[in-house]
Amino acid sequence: GAGAAQRERVVPAQEWLQKWESGRTGFHKEQGHPLLREYLDVLLSGRSGLRIFFPLCGKAVEMKWLAAMGHRVVGVEISERALREFFAEQGLPCREEPVAGVAGAKLLQSLDGTISLYCCSIYDVTSAIVGKFDGVWDRGALVAVNPCDRQRYASLMISLMEKNSSYLLVTVLYDPNKYKGPPFYVPECEIRGLFG
Ligand code: SAH
């Protein structure tokens, strides 16, 4: 069936780190994602001062946009290089501190405190560490998660959402028998099953 060829595929963290080290980051969008502009009102629904989550954030430039609009942004990313590039390329100085309770994790934060990026695996965070969110921008996140970890990932996302939060999810549509991913093909029926 659809996706059977991808079910068993596992991309080790090391491979993602190597992509960043060697600049194989074709997924990065220098101008930001047009779908975030298009659906921004759905994410915010007129509210201000929100906490917005960027799981598997890379160096997504939209983090700076949202912070500039007065929201607080939290991201999680395993590659420290990606996060350093974010702050450097956006011209934002940052400070660094360890994360209590997560060995080896670091928090890199803009000096005004509006952008907090955790360098660790997404599976190491809980709402006790990162808090809960009014909005989630999931682009290149669910589709980058190993297929065997999707359920765990979705349950974690649900646990990080406030009541009345909005979740914008970008997926990709293609024949999973012709390309091994990531990004993986996540059919709509599976998304319904994962998020209810
Ligand atoms: N959302 C970003 C990046 C998408 S690529 C964008 O839209 O540009 C997926 C990112 O997830 C990569 O930067 C990779 O380093 C990171 N990643 C992969 N597995 C992860 C994990 N378990 N925890 C945190 N980050 C992870």
Side-chain angles (χ1 to χ4, degrees), residues 151-163:
Q151 184 63 65
R152 181 182 181 195
Y153 172 83
S155 303
L156 172 65
M157 289 304 125
I158 291 166
S159 77
L160 298 180
M161 291 169 76
E162 295 279 13
K163 284 194 191 68

Side-chain angles (χ1 to χ4, degrees), residues 16 20 27-28 56-58 76-78 120-123 139-140 144:
W16 285 108
W20 280 104
F27 49 82
H28 176 67
L56 283 70
C57 61
V76 176
E77 165 60 52
I78 37 168
C120 62
S121 169
I122 188 76
Y123 307 111
R139 184 269 170 174

Side-chain angles (χ1 to χ4, degrees), residues 11-13 15-17 19-20 25 27-29 33 54-62 76-79 82 118-124 137-141 143-146 149 182:
V11 179
E15 248 176 68
W16 285 108
L17 299 180
K19 281 185 204 282
W20 280 104
T25 53
F27 49 82
H28 176 67
K29 284 204 166 324
H33 205 290
F54 280 65
L56 283 70
C57 61
K59 54 174 180 177
V61 301
E62 299 90 338
V76 176
E77 165 60 52
I78 37 168
S79 167
Y118 289 82
C119 184
C120 62
S121 169
I122 188 76
Y123 307 111
D124 289 337
W137 170 244
D138 182 323
R139 184 269 170 174
V143 298
V145 159
N146 290 318
D149 293 324

Side-chain angles (χ1 to χ4, degrees), residues 14-123:
Q14 199 54 41
E15 248 176 68
W16 285 108
L17 299 180
Q18 280 160 8
K19 281 185 204 282
W20 280 104
E21 292 308 316
S22 58
R24 285 175 290 123
T25 53
F27 49 82
H28 176 67
K29 284 204 166 324
E30 227 143 273
Q31 305 303 319
H33 205 290
L35 286 171
L36 182 57
R37 294 177 200 268
E38 190 176 338
Y39 290 94
L40 189 62
D41 291 345
V42 175
L43 185 67
L44 306 178
S45 45
R47 302 168 296 171
S48 54
L50 300 186
R51 297 192 80 232
I52 311 282
F53 190 44
F54 280 65
L56 283 70
C57 61
K59 54 174 180 177
V61 301
E62 299 90 338
M63 297 193 286
K64 191 183 184 187
W65 298 355
L66 284 162
M69 290 175 212
H71 303 289
R72 280 165 299 157
V73 170
V74 175
V76 176
E77 165 60 52
I78 37 168
S79 167
E80 180 170 348
R81 177 158 187 147
L83 300 182
R84 299 274 176 205
E85 287 182 9
F86 171 78
F87 286 110
E89 290 171 9
Q90 300 307 322
L92 297 167
C94 73
R95 56 173 176 246
E96 168 184 336
E97 54 184 73
V99 179
V102 188
K106 275 182 193 170
L107 169 59
L108 303 184
Q109 199 170 44
S110 61
L111 298 185
D112 66 3
T114 58
I115 304 178
S116 303
L117 306 182
Y118 289 82
C119 184
C120 62
S121 169
I122 188 76
Y123 307 111

